[in-house]
Amino acid sequence: MRVLYLDTIAGISGDMTVGALLALGLPLRHLRGELARLSIGDYTLSATRRNVNGIVATKFNVRVGAVTEGDSGGGRGKGRGRGSGEDGGKGASAGHRDHGHEHGHEHRPYRVIRDLVRRGGLDPAVRDTALAVFARLAAAEAKVHGVSTDAVTFHEVGAVDSIVDIVGCAIGMHWFGIERVYASPLPMGSGTVLSEHGPLPVPAPATVELLRGFPVRVGEGTTELVTPTGAAIVAALATPDPVPALRIAGIGYGAGQRTLSDRPNVLRTILGETEADTVHERLAVIETNIDDLNPEFYEHIIERLFEAGARDVYLAPVHMKKNRPGIVLSVLCGDAERAALTAIVLGETSSLGVRVHTVERIAVPREIRTVDTPYGRVRVKVATAHDGTEHAAPEYEDCRHLARARGVPLKRVYQAALLSSLAEPGRGA
């Protein structure tokens, strides 16, 4: 299984994560090409090498606005740079500023960003990963401010540079075929930070909410080290379980902007492989019985639950009191996602309560391989049984996307992907 370990030496932010993925080998040209699918205005991307306490790290930058002469990317004229990560203190609706340096960032409601990403023409895996991060962030902000998720307005995270960070992170995860993410205990920092709502404590309220269930180091650091964007990436993509033994395949360092006195200002990422063995993990099941909900709503509810990090969602028909037909809605999730998913179930359905119980899941190892077909690239999930036999299953959304784009039957794309996975069993880039 291919995994990514986030060694949060100096915390984590969106741009530090993208910088670390670039240092691991994510091509900047590929990142630019994929991000160009989104209609979010003029901006320029750059990646520079920076020496941080003797460590060569990659600093990822987004210049928002039209492009100056000599910059690469689209647009013309002049643009502005950004302070980013723990250096920029980008928050969500808290509207963090660059520790005293205010940015003229856009304000975008969560529902607008969600629609922008859904309609952006991204690879389905990239789209779903990015939506999961935004959904976790919106759920945390909604709880902090006492509003519904659709009422959340992102200030700093609604800006172009923050959208680029989150979608760029999703692009990198897909590029490397990462199946599981682990994170070290996060240093939470201390002090205060300015926001649209006035001074806020560090860590920001949304950051604390997002990291429920994850190990943290409270009070470590003298500034904001974990931003809401960084916390949302951890909450949506990582598991709080201890990292298993790895065979290291790559190491990358993403640089921040500031110079910290007590630690190198870098995020270290380690790309590795785990041994082919069964995976044991403790998960939670959220259940509720429903007999009075419009059936048309279930598609929307299931979509929201998956976006917010559910491992699986399923419906089962039952007969309830007075012999009324009903539905049992079940959601499988990690402990870190439980609160956000429970809020969605209670907010989107007519249920007045849920049942939660813990289960142990034993799963065979699996990996994602990307194969070439006459219609385009398709991810294939390959599981390895105890006897070493491999079972391959092309990803439905990839096949569906290509079938619609190429105007061919879905089964033809599916069969081509399956044949390619059998003929070329190696991992895709």
Side-chain angles (χ1 to χ4, degrees):
M1 178 184 296
R2 180 168 289 191
V3 305
L4 184 71
Y5 178 61
L6 303 172
D7 188 4
T8 56
I9 304 163
I12 184 171
S13 62
D15 67 297
M16 291 175 76
T17 306
V18 178
L21 291 170
L22 290 168
L24 272 175
L26 172 65
L28 183 60
R29 178 176 295 180
H30 176 75
L31 182 66
R32 285 191 180 119
E34 292 300 301
L35 285 167
R37 298 170 183 264
L38 295 177
S39 300
I40 53 176
D42 292 328
Y43 62 90
T44 307
L45 308 183
S46 65
T48 56
R49 288 160 61 92
R50 176 172 294 178
N51 189 299
V52 182
N53 294 25
I55 300 171
V56 176
T58 298
K59 181 69 182 73
F60 177 62
N61 295 293
V62 179
R63 181 179 294 276
V64 181
V67 184
T68 57
E69 184 177 354
D71 287 333
S72 56
R76 297 179 178 83
K78 292 186 177 181
R80 63 169 177 82
R82 60 111 182 236
S84 51
E86 80 283 15
D87 320 299
K90 297 196 301 290
S93 67
H96 289 33
R97 297 170 182 161
D98 189 3
H99 291 280
H101 303 291
E102 185 174 358
H103 295 289
H105 285 165
E106 303 92 332
H107 294 188
R108 285 187 174 96
Y110 164 59
R111 62 181 182 275
V112 171
I113 294 179
R114 184 177 60 205
D115 290 344
L116 184 153
V117 174
R118 283 177 176 170
R119 300 171 183 172
L122 295 167
D123 181 281
V126 172
R127 178 200 64 206
D128 293 347
T129 299
L131 286 173
V133 177
F134 280 116
R136 292 302 298 272
L137 192 52
E141 288 288 343
K143 185 167 185 179
V144 169
H145 297 296
V147 298
S148 68
T149 53
D150 279 348
V152 168
T153 294
F154 292 140
H155 298 303
E156 297 287 344
V157 175
V160 168
D161 45 15
S162 296
I163 296 173
V164 166
D165 286 345
I166 291 175
V167 179
C169 174
I171 291 167
M173 294 290 174
H174 177 49
W175 171 266
F176 288 109
I178 294 166
E179 300 162 75
R180 184 160 298 187
V181 180
Y182 297 87
S184 66
L186 292 98
M188 298 299 280
S190 61
T192 60
V193 64
L194 291 177
S195 78
E196 293 287 334
H197 304 282
L200 289 176
V202 171
T207 298
V208 178
E209 186 64 37
L210 282 159
L211 294 179
R212 285 177 179 266
F214 285 87
V216 299
R217 301 196 296 270
V218 177
E220 181 176 319
T222 58
T223 186
E224 184 180 47
L225 298 177
V226 178
T227 67
T229 302
I233 290 171
V234 171
L237 307 183
T239 172
D241 297 332
V243 61
L246 299 176
R247 293 192 306 274
I248 296 177
I251 303 169
Y253 292 87
Q257 182 70 29
R258 287 182 173 177
T259 299
L260 303 178
S261 61
D262 59 342
R263 68 195 71 204
N265 191 8
V266 296
L267 169 68
R268 176 162 55 192
T269 53
I270 299 176
L271 184 67
E273 300 279 349
T274 59
E275 295 295 331
D277 198 359
T278 54
V279 177
H280 295 251
E281 55 185 344
R282 296 181 69 82
L283 298 174
V285 176
I286 304 168
E287 287 186 341
T288 188
N289 295 358
I290 305 170
D291 64 0
D292 57 352
L293 184 67
N294 185 337
E296 294 176 330
F297 295 172
Y298 283 115
E299 180 182 9
H300 168 76
I301 295 166
I302 291 172
E303 184 177 68
R304 285 208 58 200
L305 290 168
F306 275 121
E307 287 178 358
R311 306 287 184 90
D312 199 5
V313 182
Y314 46 96
L315 306 174
V318 294
H319 280 82
M320 300 173 60
K321 62 184 179 181
K322 299 183 180 179
N323 208 31
R324 288 200 299 262
I327 292 292
V328 177
L329 170 64
S330 299
V331 184
L332 183 67
C333 64
D335 187 65
E337 295 84 25
R338 187 170 66 178
L341 293 171
T342 298
I344 291 174
V345 171
L346 294 176
E348 292 281 4
T349 75
S350 55
S351 173
L352 301 180
V354 300
R355 302 179 297 276
V356 180
H357 59 273
T358 302
V359 297
E360 182 178 2
R361 184 172 76 166
I362 302 173
V364 298
R366 75 285 305 271
E367 63 179 336
I368 302 297
R369 298 175 184 171
T370 304
V371 300
D372 292 313
T373 75
Y375 313 104
R377 306 188 82 195
V378 176
R379 292 172 299 146
V380 178
K381 183 182 294 182
V382 181
T384 305
H386 293 283
D387 61 359
T389 304
E390 290 188 344
H391 302 274
E395 288 291 337
Y396 166 76
E397 285 293 342
D398 289 6
C399 295
R400 176 176 174 271
H401 176 75
L402 290 175
R404 290 174 65 92
R406 301 286 182 153
V408 298
L410 172 63
K411 64 180 181 180
R412 188 179 299 175
V413 181
Y414 189 94
Q415 291 167 351
L418 192 58
L419 288 172
S420 294
S421 68
L422 295 174
E424 302 177 13
R427 294 184 186 87

